[in-house]
Amino acid sequence: MSSQPGATAGSLFAALPPIGETSEEFVQLLRRRGLVIERIVSSGQASPPGFWYDQPEAEWVLLQQGEALLRFADEDEARRLQAGDWLDIAAHRRHRIEWTAPDRLTIWLAVFYGDEGPPPVGAAGSPSA
Amino acid sequence: MSSQPGATAGSLFAALPPIGETSEEFVQLLRRRGLVIERIVSSGQASPPGFWYDQPEAEWVLLQQGEALLRFADEDEARRLQAGDWLDIAAHRRHRIEWTAPDRLTIWLAVFYGDEGPPPVGAAGSPSA
């Protein structure tokens, strides 16, 4: 995970990784008590079979660019997310990324929040590492 | 100000106002203790002459689409913001919007946060009303 400690300005489109990296890229844009804002870049990665995110903090996530399928454990079908789509994911609501577009970058803006304190470093990170 | 209380999914591009409205549009996407996420849509509006935002909460803001000039009181020149640019604005750091593109919609994603509790309803709203 990269981070930009202390940065107060930037661009979501700066220093993007190339398409087809083996793992997703996570960059922290802001970290405050109970709040982390992160850019996540995918290109074809998905959660490993059987893996579910089960996060102690809630996550408001915006798909900035690209396309993805996100599945909640309590729903039968994955949701297709396109540019501009956002979701509020409650803490401990189990979910996984079924698919991201393999031929282009999918950029997420994730806002992790909650009353249990900030997540430990890497908690919002990829299961693929 | 509009709001979508209880909504857990949506699109930033849904139900956009037409270009050229007399005032900016504010839609709350999420409201939690100490955290408000809001979509702001501008098309040509600017802060009134002499007006400065002086907010009790901090604001992380992303320019999602369009173009704007944002000026801090402690800087000599306005900053030009384009799609993907973000800024973290400390609480009580005085700032104003000098200009937004008049011929298209400028869409902002604003994350208001802080330890002083959520802002009162309307506090993040337009000074142009």
Side-chain angles (χ1 to χ4, degrees):
Chain A
M1 175 181 302
S2 304
S3 63
Q4 305 180 317
T8 58
S11 169
L12 277 193
F13 301 124
L16 287 169
I19 294 171
E21 291 284 282
T22 54
S23 59
E24 294 180 300
E25 188 212 61
F26 301 79
V27 176
Q28 272 192 16
L29 305 178
L30 186 84
R31 185 184 188 90
R32 297 288 185 272
R33 186 159 56 122
L35 178 69
V36 169
I37 300 180
E38 202 168 80
R39 181 186 80 179
I40 305 171
V41 181
S42 321
S43 58
Q45 299 89 357
S47 304
F51 174 90
W52 295 94
Y53 287 99
D54 184 345
Q55 301 169 164
E57 69 280 1
E59 177 181 358
W60 187 93
V61 65
L62 167 70
L63 196 141
Q64 179 78 19
Q65 169 188 306
E67 193 168 358
L69 291 172
L70 184 147
R71 167 94 192 280
F72 286 109
D74 58 16
E75 293 184 347
D76 289 337
E77 299 207 356
R79 300 182 184 213
R80 181 172 297 273
L81 302 179
Q82 296 177 307
D85 287 339
W86 60 266
L87 280 176
D88 183 41
I89 305 174
H92 294 298
R93 187 175 183 195
R94 295 170 68 216
H95 61 285
R96 51 181 276 113
I97 303 300
E98 300 261 301
W99 175 87
T100 56
D103 56 347
R104 57 194 194 278
L105 297 180
T106 293
I107 303 178
W108 310 78
L109 181 77
V111 179
F112 298 94
Y113 66 93
D115 293 334
E116 303 180 47
V121 173
S126 169
S128 61
Chain B
M1 177 182 301
S2 303
S3 63
Q4 305 179 316
T8 59
S11 169
L12 278 193
F13 301 123
L16 287 169
I19 293 171
E21 290 285 280
T22 54
S23 59
E24 295 181 298
E25 187 212 61
F26 300 80
V27 177
Q28 273 192 15
L29 305 177
L30 186 84
R31 185 185 188 89
R32 296 288 185 274
R33 186 159 56 120
L35 179 68
V36 169
I37 300 179
E38 202 168 80
R39 182 186 79 179
I40 305 171
V41 181
S42 321
S43 58
Q45 299 90 356
S47 304
F51 175 89
W52 295 94
Y53 286 99
D54 185 344
Q55 300 169 165
E57 70 281 1
E59 177 181 358
W60 187 93
V61 65
L62 167 70
L63 196 141
Q64 179 78 19
Q65 170 188 303
E67 194 169 356
L69 291 172
L70 184 146
R71 167 95 191 279
F72 286 109
D74 57 15
E75 293 183 347
D76 288 336
E77 299 206 356
R79 299 183 184 212
R80 181 173 298 273
L81 302 178
Q82 296 178 307
D85 288 338
W86 60 266
L87 279 176
D88 183 41
I89 304 173
H92 294 297
R93 186 176 183 193
R94 296 170 68 218
H95 61 284
R96 50 182 275 114
I97 303 301
E98 300 262 299
W99 175 86
T100 57
D103 56 346
R104 57 195 194 279
L105 295 180
T106 293
I107 304 178
W108 310 78
L109 181 76
V111 179
F112 298 93
Y113 66 94
D115 294 331
E116 303 180 47
V121 172
S126 170
S128 62

